[in-house]
């Protein structure tokens, strides 16, 4: 991700203390997690999905849908909650979705013929 100052910041040591090793790898080190490994994949209750790094609300549960990808999938994030960065690693071009408040990476985005799909990772928290 380009060098940008976010409204919510922490030192690298603070991020490591706050996040699990898996969350840190995904959210701060541009890692990915195995499909089907996110506990929120099967979350069905009404509520809000938020950034695990800073707590910023990202999606309301009514925007979650079953995509068959193995990750919680959403469309239409809350206004101003996310920003995108083009990721050209791993021999492909992907759209990385990150929290607009703290910069934590929490999803990859793709567009199908019908709608945009954002697949969230372990960096999403349930509220």
């Amino acid at each position: 991700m380009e060098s940008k100052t976010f409204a919510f910041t922490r030192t690298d040591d603070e991020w490591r203390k706050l996040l699990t090793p898996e969350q840190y790898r995904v959210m701060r080190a541009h890692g990915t997690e195995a499909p089907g490994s996110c506990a929120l994949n099967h979350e069905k209750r009404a509520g809000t999905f938020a950034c695990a790094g800073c707590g910023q609300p990202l999606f309301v549960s009514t925007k979650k849908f079953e995509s068959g990808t193995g990750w919680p999938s959403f469309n239409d994030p809350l206004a101003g909650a996310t920003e995108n960065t083009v990721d050209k690693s791993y021999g492909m071009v992907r759209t990385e979705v990150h929290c607009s408040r703290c910069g934590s990476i929490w999803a990859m985005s793709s567009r199908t013929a019908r709608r945009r799909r954002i697949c969230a990772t372990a960096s999403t928290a349930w509220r």
Side-chain angles (χ1 to χ4, degrees), residues 8-58:
F8 184 93
T9 60
R10 294 184 185 272
T11 66
D12 191 59
D13 284 343
E14 290 171 330
W15 282 118
R16 288 181 187 276
K17 287 177 187 171
L18 172 73
L19 304 171
T20 67
E22 176 73 358
Q23 287 175 320
Y24 181 87
R25 191 178 65 73
V26 172
M27 296 170 65
R28 308 308 301 175
H30 301 265
T32 191
E33 65 183 357
S37 64
C38 181
L40 296 177
N41 199 32
H42 304 290
E43 180 60 63
K44 305 287 188 215
R45 295 173 292 171
T48 303
F49 290 85
C51 176
C54 70
Q56 172 167 266
L58 302 169

Side-chain angles (χ1 to χ4, degrees), residues 48-49 56-60 63 75-82 100:
T48 303
F49 290 85
Q56 172 167 266
L58 302 169
F59 288 94
V60 293
K63 299 299 179 180
N75 55 22
D76 302 327
L78 293 169
T82 66
S100 65

Side-chain angles (χ1 to χ4, degrees), residues 82-94:
T82 66
E83 296 175 343
N84 299 326
T85 303
V86 174
D87 176 10
K88 295 181 180 177
S89 61
Y90 303 107
M92 64 182 107
V93 178
R94 307 180 296 174

